[in-house]
Amino acid sequence: MDRSTNLDVEELKMTREQYILATQQNNLPRAENAQLYPVGIYGWRKRCLYFFVLLLLVTMIVNLAMTIWILKVMNFTVDGMGNLRVTKKGIRLEGISEFLLPLYVKEIHSRKDSPLVLQSDRNVTVNARNHMGQLTGQLTVGADAVEAQCKRFEVRASEDGRVLFSADEDEITIGAEKLKVTGTEGAVFGHSVETPHIRAEPSQDLRLESPTRSLIMEAPRGVQVSAAAGDFKAACRKELHLQSTEGEIFLNADTIRLGNLPTGSFSSSSPSSSHSRQTVYELCVCPNGKLYLSPAGAGSTCQSGSNICLWS
């Protein structure tokens, strides 16, 4: 036991000596020629850093000023920019707008109190395409003409939606109640015309004319020409033919007159007949169908060998 106590005392002495030595080493004076190293940025590096920070600050101020100026000039608001307003239904433009590139929209509407005007220095073209991008319809409004290219062109009435005019490759249909042509030369048709009714305006004449060729009216069930309150005249320069292949030609009137018929001669045996004025004639028919007048007598005065029949 005494031996262990002696060991503890020796260890305590050694620890005290080590502490004293360490304290003395820390209190030793430093060498006079020891070098000091400063910490930080000094000299031209510091000046460059301040210059770049100042340049960045000036750039930020210029950008901020330009942004505020652009917002002021373009009239940026929460709803849109200038005359452009973004609404729930789409985009609204007020005033005159110019588009330098193609415009792709679904619908274009104007305000209720103003019309919609599309204006261009050359022409205005509206194209319609399918899902494949192929052109299916085109409407071009130019300085010389308005052109429409499509499979079928229709003009409908605003009230009931009925077709007033339609055109395609096969036919042109006019669905209006009345077709009115106001030109001084009338309407010119290069080919046949099919219609159930042709009527002139009240107190106006209806005239069908072919200046250099013939005028033909055909109908499988008959052609009827009537004048309810006037005369019906048919005039020609050469010959007027009335022909019925299977039926008859029926003339029904109170008075039937055939003017400018040639008059044949007849020698009568009665001496007093030459002194009296002839007022009654007989209608004669030549074998070829020609009609002529012959002075009436007690009997028939028609002669098959009359000079009118011979020279006809």
Side-chain angles (χ1 to χ4, degrees):
M1 185 172 179
D2 295 335
R3 187 176 180 180
S4 61
T5 302
N6 294 330
L7 292 175
D8 293 336
V9 172
E10 292 179 359
E11 291 178 358
L12 182 59
K13 290 180 178 180
M14 292 178 61
T15 303
R16 184 178 298 175
E17 292 177 356
Q18 291 177 357
Y19 174 74
I20 293 171
L21 292 175
T23 304
Q24 291 178 354
Q25 292 178 358
N26 291 333
N27 293 330
L28 291 175
R30 297 181 179 179
E32 294 180 357
N33 57 353
Q35 296 181 358
L36 299 178
Y37 296 95
V39 178
I41 300 175
Y42 298 92
W44 64 271
R45 296 184 180 87
K46 185 176 182 179
R47 290 191 294 269
C48 291
L49 178 61
Y50 287 162
F51 175 76
F52 285 123
V53 171
L54 181 60
L55 181 62
L56 179 61
L57 181 60
V58 172
T59 305
M60 292 177 59
I61 294 174
V62 172
N63 282 337
L64 182 60
M66 291 295 294
T67 303
I68 295 174
W69 180 76
I70 292 174
L71 293 176
K72 186 65 176 179
V73 172
M74 301 301 293
N75 194 13
F76 276 98
T77 60
V78 179
D79 298 331
M81 176 186 67
N83 295 329
L84 180 64
R85 295 290 183 268
V86 180
T87 61
K88 295 181 180 179
K89 297 181 179 180
I91 298 176
R92 179 179 178 180
L93 285 174
E94 297 179 357
I96 300 176
S97 303
E98 297 182 2
F99 300 94
L100 303 179
L101 296 176
L103 176 63
Y104 300 93
V105 294
K106 183 179 180 181
E107 293 182 0
I108 299 178
H109 297 277
S110 64
R111 295 189 304 179
K112 295 182 179 180
D113 56 348
S114 63
L116 176 63
V117 179
L118 301 178
Q119 185 176 357
S120 174
D121 294 338
R122 295 184 179 180
N123 55 36
V124 177
T125 303
V126 181
N127 295 332
R129 301 181 182 273
N130 56 12
H131 64 282
M132 300 294 294
Q134 299 176 352
L135 184 64
T136 58
Q138 185 180 66
L139 177 63
T140 303
V141 180
D144 299 331
V146 177
E147 299 179 359
Q149 298 180 4
C150 55
K151 294 182 179 180
R152 184 177 180 85
F153 180 76
E154 292 184 355
V155 178
R156 295 181 176 269
S158 59
E159 297 179 357
D160 52 0
R162 60 190 179 91
V163 179
L164 299 178
F165 178 85
S166 65
D168 54 16
E169 295 181 357
D170 299 329
E171 63 179 3
I172 297 177
T173 304
I174 299 176
E177 296 180 357
K178 182 187 297 184
L179 175 61
K180 186 176 182 180
V181 180
T182 59
T184 56
E185 298 296 332
V188 180
F189 300 94
H191 298 281
S192 61
V193 179
E194 298 180 5
T195 175
H197 191 192
I198 299 177
R199 182 180 62 184
E201 290 185 352
S203 303
Q204 298 293 332
D205 297 333
L206 176 63
R207 185 174 182 178
L208 303 178
E209 181 182 358
S210 178
T212 58
R213 294 293 184 269
S214 59
L215 177 63
I216 301 175
M217 292 186 293
E218 297 180 353
R221 299 187 61 181
V223 177
Q224 182 179 357
V225 181
S226 63
D231 299 336
F232 172 73
K233 297 181 181 180
C236 62
R237 182 178 179 181
K238 292 184 178 181
E239 298 179 355
L240 176 64
H241 296 272
L242 299 177
Q243 180 181 1
S244 177
T245 56
E246 297 182 359
E248 59 183 6
I249 298 176
F250 180 69
L251 301 177
N252 184 11
D254 295 337
T255 302
I256 298 177
R257 295 180 181 180
L258 300 177
N260 298 328
L261 289 178
T263 302
S265 61
F266 176 72
S267 60
S268 175
S269 60
S270 175
S272 61
S273 60
S274 59
H275 300 283
S276 62
R277 184 179 178 183
Q278 186 70 31
T279 58
V280 180
Y281 292 88
E282 183 179 1
L283 181 62
C284 302
V285 182
C286 296
N288 58 0
K290 184 176 182 179
L291 300 178
Y292 72 95
L293 296 178
S294 178
S300 177
T301 59
C302 297
Q303 299 176 0
S304 59
S306 175
N307 58 348
I308 298 177
C309 296
L310 294 176
W311 293 98
S312 60

